[in-house]
Structure formats: C-alpha cells, structure tokens
C-alpha cells in the first residue's frame, strides 16, 4: 500500500470548516483513499473513502486531486466533538484486510 | 443494531498469566480484525479472521499470541504468559465483506503488572 503523509497537528475554530490534507504521491490506480478518526481512547471510526471522484456523506467530504497524489478531508462545520486524530489510509480494494494506520493528524477544535 | 462489542473493557493481569479478549462483530459481519495500539503509538494490524479460519496473521507475534473465530460465539484473542510489553489497547473491527469498511469496537485495555 502507498505511504501517506499528514501534518502532525492542526487547529480549527468551532463552526468553521476543517480541511485536513493528505499526500499519497505513490498511490496506484487501484488504491482507495480511506479516512478514519480516533477520538481520545475510543475505537477508530470510519469516515469516508473514495477512488478518484469526490465523495460526500453525512460526516464529511473527500476531495481527491485529479492526479490522485493528494486528498483533503473536509469537515464542513467543525464542533468540539470533532477533536480527534484523523488517519488517511491508502488501501487496495480486494486486498482484504489490514488498515495501516500511520501517525495521523491531531485536530483540535477550539471554542 | 448493536455495534462491535468487546469485553472486558479493562483487564489487569500479572506477568505470566493468560489474557483472553473477546470480540462480537456487528450483526451480519463475518470478517474480524484485531489491532493493537501501544501507548502513544498508532494502531498496528495483528490478524484477520473469517468464521473458523485465520486468513492473515502476519501482524501477530510468533509466540504466546493466538486468535480464533469459531462458528458460534465471539472471536477470541489469547495471550499466554503475558509480559509488561503486552500492555496496550486491543481493538477489534468487523466488516460485512472482505474489503468493506471496518467498524471498530471500543477496545480492551490490557495492563500487565
């Protein structure tokens, strides 16, 4: 699976959009981009995933660049409960299993 | 619809004892994954199981650790003769299909004294 690079930490004001970047310059054509988050000491929570088209669900939007070398997770109206570590993971579909969690981005949402 | 359930949530064992961690996947899920998170580190994959089969145990330590997912009942992660370095949070996840989204349980925090 391709390696991902994320900033170690970010701040965001409550009510603002949080834009979390991820670089995956070695991504290959059959690799998906997944986002998970881990709120302090809890189990990771699936957020969203995509291949090349932008995706949106009730939690977030995922914007993938045309060359697929980077992506951005957008939380449109961040709340204090969105404070968590966010993980960008690249994974081949049909590879079965292991999610390779790196260090992620620690997002702090402030009042 | 209950999520992934893990018990116990906290487990304390003395060095040399055995630890058994249980995971009940979400209803309808037949794929189970175990991950370990050492203090101040990210999650590391340990093992992937389907009912009655171990599909990939490449992340499992070669000794003292074993996992099963029987036809009936929860998946079990067993650690024999625990050592202090086994102290960690152990998370279980399940999915409906092989490469589907993985849904995680709340974890079991193992402390070895």
């Amino acid at each position: 699976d391709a390696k991902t690079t994320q900033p170690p930490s970010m701040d965001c004001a409550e009510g603002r959009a949080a834009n979390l970047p991820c670089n995956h310059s070695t991504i290959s054509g059959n690799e998906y981009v997944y986002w998970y988050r881990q709120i302090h000491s809890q189990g990771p929570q699936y957020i969203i995933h995509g291949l090349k088209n932008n995706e949106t669900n009730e939690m977030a939007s995922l914007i993938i660049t045309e060359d697929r070398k980077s992506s951005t997770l957008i939380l449109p109206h961040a709340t204090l409960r969105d404070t968590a570590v966010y993980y960008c993971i690249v994974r081949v579909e049909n590879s079965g299993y292991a999610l390779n969690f790196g260090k992620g981005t620690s997002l702090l949402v402030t009042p | 619809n209950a999520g992934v359930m893990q018990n116990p949530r906290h487990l304390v064992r003395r060095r040399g004892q055995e630890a058994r961690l249980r995971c009940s996947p979400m209803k309808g899920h037949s794929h189970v994954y175990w991950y370990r998170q050492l203090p101040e580190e990210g999650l590391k994959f340990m093992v992937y199981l389907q009912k009655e089969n171990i599909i990939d145990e490449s992340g499992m330590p070669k000794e003292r650790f074993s996992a099963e997912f029987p036809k009936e009942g929860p998946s079990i992660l067993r650690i024999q003769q625990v050592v202090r370095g086994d102290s960690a949070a152990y998370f279980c996840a399940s999915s409906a299909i092989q490469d589907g989204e993985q849904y995680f349980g709340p974890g079991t925090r193992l402390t070895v004294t």
Side-chain angles (χ1 to χ4, degrees):
Chain A
D1 294 338
K3 179 180 168 59
T4 62
T5 304
Q6 299 177 253
S9 63
M10 293 182 65
D11 292 347
C12 178
E14 188 177 20
R16 298 283 195 170
N19 298 290
L20 293 93
C22 179
N23 286 323
H24 29 79
S25 58
T26 60
I27 194 170
S28 57
N30 62 346
E31 288 184 309
Y32 283 69
V33 180
Y34 281 77
W35 283 85
Y36 280 78
R37 73 180 181 184
Q38 187 175 25
I39 296 171
H40 178 63
S41 297
Q42 297 181 22
Q45 178 186 22
Y46 165 80
I47 301 174
I48 199 167
H49 76 282
L51 182 63
K52 50 183 160 183
N53 296 324
N54 297 337
E55 302 288 344
T56 296
N57 62 21
E58 64 279 2
M59 288 183 68
S61 295
L62 174 61
I63 309 298
I64 303 174
T65 57
E66 192 168 342
D67 63 7
R68 301 186 71 238
K69 293 183 185 299
S70 65
S71 60
T72 301
L73 179 75
I74 301 172
L75 307 178
H77 305 286
T79 70
L80 299 178
R81 288 176 293 181
D82 291 322
T83 292
V85 178
Y86 287 77
Y87 297 97
C88 170
I89 300 167
V90 171
R91 187 167 80 120
V92 177
E93 192 168 52
N94 296 321
S95 68
Y97 29 94
L99 293 171
N100 294 316
F101 290 87
K103 295 186 183 300
T105 295
S106 178
L107 174 68
L108 175 64
V109 180
T110 57
Chain B
N1 184 16
V4 178
M5 299 178 69
Q6 291 187 248
N7 65 82
R9 296 290 305 276
H10 299 274
L11 181 61
V12 179
R13 285 288 179 265
R14 291 182 178 160
R15 279 182 298 170
Q17 291 185 319
E18 179 179 286
R20 280 183 179 241
L21 288 63
R22 288 177 291 277
C23 168
S24 296
M26 285 180 70
K27 186 176 181 180
H29 287 192
S30 59
H31 303 260
V32 166
Y33 317 78
W34 286 93
Y35 293 79
R36 177 167 68 174
Q37 187 170 32
L38 295 170
E40 307 303 323
E41 293 189 16
L43 284 85
K44 302 294 183 189
F45 166 79
M46 299 180 74
V47 61
Y48 163 46
L49 311 100
Q50 294 180 24
K51 283 286 187 181
E52 300 185 276
N53 288 303
I54 296 175
I55 307 302
D56 179 8
E57 55 183 347
S58 59
M60 287 268 275
K62 293 290 185 278
E63 298 179 350
R64 302 187 297 107
F65 284 71
S66 63
E68 63 177 14
F69 188 16
K71 187 176 180 181
E72 301 291 338
S75 175
I76 306 287
L77 179 67
R78 182 181 176 206
I79 311 172
Q80 295 178 288
Q81 299 174 305
V82 296
V83 300
R84 288 225 172 98
D86 297 332
S87 295
Y90 292 82
F91 291 97
C92 166
S94 72
S95 67
I97 58 176
Q98 185 177 7
D99 59 354
E101 299 89 73
Q102 295 181 22
Y103 294 89
F104 284 78
T108 293
R109 275 144 193 87
L110 172 66
T111 301
V112 179
T113 61

